[in-house]
Amino acid sequence: MVQQSIGESVLRKEDQRFITGRGRYTDDINLRGQAYAAFVRAPMAHAHIRKIDVSAAMAAAEVISVLTGEQVAEDGLGALPCGWMVHSKDGSEMKQPAHPVLAATRVNYAGEPIAIVVANTLKAARNAAELVEIEYEEIDAVIDPRLARTSPAIHEDAPANTSYNWELGDKSATLAAIESAAHVTRISLVNNRLIPNAIEPRAAVADFNPGTDELTLYTTSQNPHLVRLIFSAFVQLAPEHKIRIIAPDVGGGFGSKIFVYSEETALSWASMKLGIPIKWTAERSESFLADAHGRDHVTEAALGLDAEGKFVGLHVSTIANVGAYLSTFASSVPTYLYGTLLAGQYKTPNIYVEVDAVFTNSAPVDAYRGAGRPEATFLLERIVETAARELNIDPVELRRRNFIQPADFPYQTPVALEYDIGDYEASLSRALEIADYAGFPARKQASIALGRKRGIGFSCYIEACGLAPSQVAGSLGAGVGLWESGEVRVNPTGNVTVLTGSHSHGQGHETTFAQLVASKFGISVDDVDVVHGDTGKMDFGMGTYGSRSLAVGGSALSSASDKVIAKGKKIAAHLMKGDADEIDFDDGEFRLRESNQSKTFQEIAFAAYVPHDYPLEELEPGLTEKAFYDPKNFTYPAGTHICEVEIDPETGIVDIVKFTAVDDFGTIINPMIVEGQVHGGIAQGIGQALLEQCRYDEAGQLQTGSYMDYCMPRADDLPSFDVDVTSTPCTHNPVGAKGCGEAGAIGSPPAVINAITDAIGIMDIEMPATSERVWQAIRQAEGR
């Protein structure tokens, strides 16, 4: 029997259509009679809207309608919600100013949509959008998050521009530990704001059927089921059973396509109002302006160590910029996805973190690859590296002194999480071997001889993936359950259709899930098809984010497959005249123990649908099973990243000469896909460390609104990565998987910055460490 096993690097099934140009993306979808939409956007960051005149636009050729925020309000649509309630230190709920579908009375960031123009052609819609006349009364913009709390309020219901003042940990114990510490390391750092840049911009086609009152929305979404829920329960466009969301092939997301945005919502409302299908595809400039941004923290931290170099306390104060409104999951990112990870891989007995989330006149900030965990790791690995230099201890040795040991698991951290398993020394030792750390001094001397500077930097990261059990998440403020669902349909001839609530937008789910199910049934991966991204085919799901797809979605499919096998054993027992508990299933065959009788998986499938000889008194015909899986805990991928750089002191150009990543992802289904995920994550992390930064001027105008101003990493910025794995399988999901999609972006930025500062001989350099900043830092270090 041909079988593809777990652990094999099977070529991705979906790549055939992608590399031959047969993928079907949202912009490829065109419906009969469709119109086109263009949005009128705010040209300034903060202003009252005094008057909107649409008469010239309405009179333009080919224009069907111009709809504004005032009409949204008249139709009674709800605001866009934030799906996670966070409480401040005093127990009060976070301030959540209304996030309108279209701005009606005031704009709060440059690029905020105000009106939607619908026309018979895209050109006509765009031309007419420029004819909409709006009278503004400009207001001073609040841009710097450090000044937000003392600036005039952007929203009347958010005094001091603050959404919440959150805390976690024992403040008094932490301050006492730091006060009595033998040494205290203090740092200030900025985690720079990033702009997601998926290769496919956001797009949507909304199609309302007046005959059935049903809305179908094709959209670039990581979570179509969440879109349907928000449209129904919060925006109140239509009842849930009258809404179908289809996310076809999606060209990347990195978190930015989890959320429910104004544009897709307004497009759906316009289609319902006008009774016609309408299409919108974002221009890249619109993506820069209006897609949810990432990161943007300002932090002060103190780490206390005893005389032996053991960590005794960590105190962290962070200002998190959430932008003009709370996006769909914005409140969870600087809190429960950030503060809970500040223990890292270390046994720090006392940790306290406080976060002030502030509003500014900038695009909303939400989850971006890693979502809180990169921010936590950057802070922790920078302060540990700084402490090692201040104490003149090898940074590897300092980390080893403080590692949580294998015998310590399960390990309860002071910041809520309980790690189930890990072996951090194994990853570190393997990374040191691959990176040839022992040979670094000789390489450094060789660089010095050539007039160059060489440095090496470390990052020992941990992340929490898969999100928490629904009850735990609910107690922490989550507005939705964090389970996943899966359905396994065995067809009469024995091939299998798998339906999942997860969504693939580049991760290779159609291969990984097929491998998982094929290995359960002992069939070829080619006999398994995976269906995702359509609320009309899969009843419910929670989508893809937080590296949850395999650990949670895969576990649901594993459970559904087990149900299929259990039913198959009953059918096989009937056919072979035995008892179900006497049936073994392995390698695609049901065998009656202590006999030579067996039935293939395909024979049992056929019997289930042609029940001529079948235990009808106890079993229904068919071989289809569903399962919901609610995680028992987070999963905790961890690893060590080592970056080695060489710098030209005359230009400040940083050359990453070697990058090593050794990660523990638990059970790995497809090593090739995992390696690809790690490569992509490292590339994004290097982009943040060296190149990328979103900037607004004092008036709130985006200064990095195109690829001319916002520098993305390119192939020649990156080395060939040395990637390896260790493995401690997750103890609490049936797959043993931990999640791999975000690790590269989490572990790499501090490794890069630690390497650069080591090379120059300084304690800190702000991200992105551009050649200009590096050049200046070298001259300052040399007193020039």
Side-chain angles (χ1 to χ4, degrees):
M1 176 160 306
V2 178
Q3 179 183 343
Q4 304 291 353
S5 300
I6 287 177
E8 292 186 15
S9 291
V10 177
L11 293 178
R12 298 194 345 163
K13 298 177 64 170
E14 50 268 70
D15 284 353
Q16 178 65 28
R17 70 177 186 273
F18 293 148
I19 64 178
T20 57
R22 295 171 183 167
R24 189 168 185 257
Y25 298 89
T26 300
D27 193 52
D28 294 323
I29 296 169
N30 293 289
L31 306 179
R32 179 177 295 178
Q34 77 182 16
Y36 295 84
F39 285 91
V40 179
R41 298 183 180 276
M44 53 194 68
H46 202 197
H48 294 293
I49 298 173
R50 294 307 185 195
K51 182 181 179 182
I52 300 178
D53 185 352
V54 302
S55 57
M58 283 292 294
E62 304 281 357
V63 170
I64 297 170
S65 186
V66 181
L67 303 171
T68 67
E70 183 177 348
Q71 289 160 290
V72 171
E74 290 171 355
D75 284 1
L77 268 63
L80 301 177
C82 178
W84 200 295
M85 174 55 70
V86 167
H87 290 78
S88 288
K89 298 174 185 178
D90 61 4
S92 63
E93 293 185 349
M94 68 187 188
K95 304 298 189 296
Q96 185 180 176
H99 185 176
V101 174
L102 294 174
T105 60
R106 187 163 65 176
V107 295
N108 288 312
Y109 66 95
E112 182 172 4
I114 299 171
I116 179 172
V117 178
V118 181
N120 289 321
T121 67
L122 179 58
K123 182 179 180 180
R126 289 175 176 170
N127 288 341
E130 297 186 4
L131 298 176
V132 175
E133 297 181 6
I134 303 176
E135 181 182 322
Y136 298 99
E137 180 185 333
E138 191 167 4
I139 312 168
D140 288 342
V142 179
I143 297 301
D144 190 337
R146 290 165 290 196
L147 304 177
R149 291 169 295 182
T150 56
S151 298
I154 296 170
H155 304 283
E156 293 180 0
D157 49 351
N161 289 314
T162 300
S163 177
Y164 53 80
N165 310 107
W166 179 83
E167 66 178 354
L168 182 65
D170 189 326
K171 183 176 184 178
S172 59
T174 301
L175 291 176
I178 292 174
E179 179 69 25
S180 61
H183 178 83
V184 179
T185 294
R186 302 180 187 276
I187 63 171
S188 302
L189 56 83
V190 174
N191 205 293
N192 41 320
R193 179 183 278 230
L194 303 177
I195 301 177
N197 273 283
I199 194 168
E200 179 197 23
R202 285 192 292 131
V205 182
D207 181 20
F208 180 67
N209 186 332
T212 60
D213 285 337
E214 292 177 333
L215 171 69
T216 300
L217 177 69
Y218 302 86
T219 184
T220 51
S221 174
Q222 297 176 220
N223 195 344
H225 292 86
L226 179 68
V227 176
R228 181 179 64 177
L229 175 64
I230 288 178
F231 275 13
S232 173
F234 296 93
V235 181
Q236 299 180 338
L237 279 173
E240 196 164 4
H241 68 286
K242 293 290 188 180
I243 300 175
R244 181 182 181 186
I245 309 296
I246 301 173
D249 290 330
V250 173
F254 313 115
S256 69
K257 293 175 183 174
I258 301 171
F259 323 120
V260 178
Y261 289 92
S262 294
E263 290 87 352
E264 293 88 339
T265 309
L267 194 79
S268 299
W269 165 70
S271 178
M272 297 178 70
K273 195 172 185 69
L274 302 176
I276 56 174
I278 310 173
K279 181 175 184 176
W280 167 74
T281 300
E283 293 288 302
R284 185 60 66 178
S285 60
E286 291 181 285
S287 298
F288 272 96
L289 283 168
D291 285 6
H293 295 171
R295 316 291 191 243
D296 208 348
H297 284 193
V298 179
T299 297
E300 304 277 343
L303 175 67
L305 302 91
D306 67 15
E308 284 73 45
K310 298 289 185 68
F311 304 158
V312 297
L314 176 66
H315 184 279
V316 177
S317 296
T318 294
I319 301 171
N321 186 356
V322 296
Y325 304 101
L326 288 178
S327 179
T328 311
F329 290 114
S331 56
S332 67
V333 176
T335 53
Y336 294 108
L337 298 179
Y338 167 67
T340 56
L341 270 299
L342 288 171
Q345 299 185 7
Y346 310 114
K347 291 191 285 188
T348 309
N350 302 288
I351 301 175
Y352 175 77
V353 54
E354 53 189 349
V355 177
D356 288 351
V358 298
F359 295 107
T360 62
N361 294 115
S362 60
V365 177
D366 210 316
Y368 177 63
R369 198 170 193 168
R373 289 98 80 199
E375 296 91 316
T377 298
F378 186 74
L379 162 64
L380 189 58
E381 290 304 291
R382 285 292 297 120
I383 201 169
V384 169
E385 194 87 5
T386 304
R389 294 175 189 174
E390 289 177 351
L391 293 169
N392 197 29
I393 299 174
D394 185 302
V396 173
E397 170 59 25
L398 185 61
R399 288 173 168 88
R400 280 179 165 149
R401 289 184 194 181
N402 289 280
F403 273 164
I404 301 164
Q405 299 300 316
D408 297 327
F409 294 99
Y411 181 80
Q412 179 62 56
T413 75
V415 277
L417 299 183
E418 182 182 89
Y419 303 162
D420 65 324
I421 195 169
D423 188 345
Y424 309 140
E425 174 60 40
S427 295
L428 175 60
S429 295
R430 180 64 179 138
L432 291 171
E433 178 186 350
I434 296 172
D436 185 20
Y437 184 47
F440 174 73
R443 296 193 297 275
K444 185 177 181 73
Q445 289 303 312
S447 293
I448 292 172
L450 295 172
R452 295 176 178 269
K453 296 180 179 291
R454 184 176 286 253
I456 194 164
F458 304 88
S459 172
C460 295
Y461 78 91
I462 190 169
E463 59 165 321
C465 292
L467 298 187
S470 292
Q471 289 184 346
V472 173
S475 69
L476 299 177
V480 293
L482 297 178
W483 45 264
E484 192 49 84
S485 63
E487 181 177 346
V488 175
R489 296 177 183 171
V490 182
N491 301 316
T493 54
N495 49 41
V496 177
T497 300
V498 169
L499 295 95
T500 175
S502 298
H503 184 275
S504 178
H505 40 282
Q507 299 93 331
H509 293 174
E510 293 175 36
T511 303
T512 304
F513 287 162
Q515 280 185 263
L516 176 63
V517 173
S519 70
K520 299 284 284 189
F521 295 151
I523 62 177
S524 169
V525 70
D526 294 328
D527 289 334
V528 182
D529 280 338
V530 177
V531 177
H532 59 92
D534 188 341
T535 64
K537 293 180 178 178
M538 186 66 192
D539 297 334
F540 299 101
M542 289 308 301
T544 293
Y545 46 87
S547 299
R548 71 189 299 271
S549 291
L550 186 58
V552 186
S555 292
L557 292 175
S558 179
S559 297
S561 299
D562 288 340
K563 292 181 180 180
V564 168
I565 292 169
K567 184 174 182 178
K569 287 182 176 181
K570 293 179 182 179
I571 300 170
H574 176 83
L575 294 176
M576 292 184 283
K577 306 198 182 318
D579 294 327
D581 57 8
E582 297 177 319
I583 301 296
D584 296 322
F585 179 73
D586 183 54
D587 197 25
E589 285 193 333
F590 294 88
R591 301 183 185 91
L592 179 62
R593 215 171 296 140
E594 299 182 0
S595 82
N596 61 358
Q597 295 186 74
S598 66
K599 295 289 182 182
T600 66
F601 181 76
Q602 290 80 5
E603 288 175 312
I604 296 303
F606 192 78
Y609 290 97
V610 186
H612 296 163
D613 184 10
Y614 195 82
L616 289 170
E617 65 279 0
E618 58 175 302
L619 295 177
E620 295 178 349
L623 201 52
T624 296
E625 296 289 347
K626 293 182 180 181
F628 283 73
Y629 179 77
D630 202 348
K632 297 179 176 62
N633 190 0
F634 289 93
T635 68
Y636 298 100
T640 295
H641 289 190
I642 302 176
C643 178
E644 189 169 331
V645 302
E646 191 176 62
I647 301 172
D648 180 352
E650 297 306 314
T651 63
I653 293 175
V654 176
D655 181 18
I656 298 177
V657 294
K658 191 174 182 63
F659 196 101
T660 304
V662 177
D663 304 288
D664 178 0
F665 298 132
T667 300
I668 291 177
I669 304 296
N670 189 310
M672 178 188 68
I673 288 177
V674 167
E675 184 171 343
Q677 287 289 296
V678 173
H679 281 203
I682 294 172
Q684 283 184 274
I686 290 173
Q688 175 174 13
L690 296 182
L691 302 167
E692 298 181 51
Q693 183 167 25
C694 170
R695 289 185 177 275
Y696 288 92
D697 67 14
E698 292 182 357
Q701 293 298 323
L702 184 64
Q703 301 297 291
T704 51
S706 76
Y707 291 134
M708 296 295 290
D709 314 294
Y710 188 89
C711 189
M712 299 282 287
R714 295 165 174 80
D716 60 356
D717 295 313
L718 308 171
S720 293
F721 307 125
D722 293 315
V723 174
D724 201 0
V725 294
T726 58
S727 180
T728 56
C730 177
T731 62
H732 54 77
N733 69 54
V735 181
K738 293 184 178 181
C740 69
E742 297 166 290
I746 293 169
S748 57
V752 174
I753 297 300
N754 287 339
I756 292 171
T757 52
D758 178 57
I760 300 174
I762 58 176
M763 287 298 183
D764 190 33
I765 189 169
E766 190 172 317
M767 291 194 295
T770 61
S771 57
E772 180 185 5
R773 280 181 175 166
V774 171
W775 184 86
Q776 290 176 339
I778 291 171
R779 269 135 191 81
Q780 290 171 359
E782 295 176 346
R784 286 194 279 164

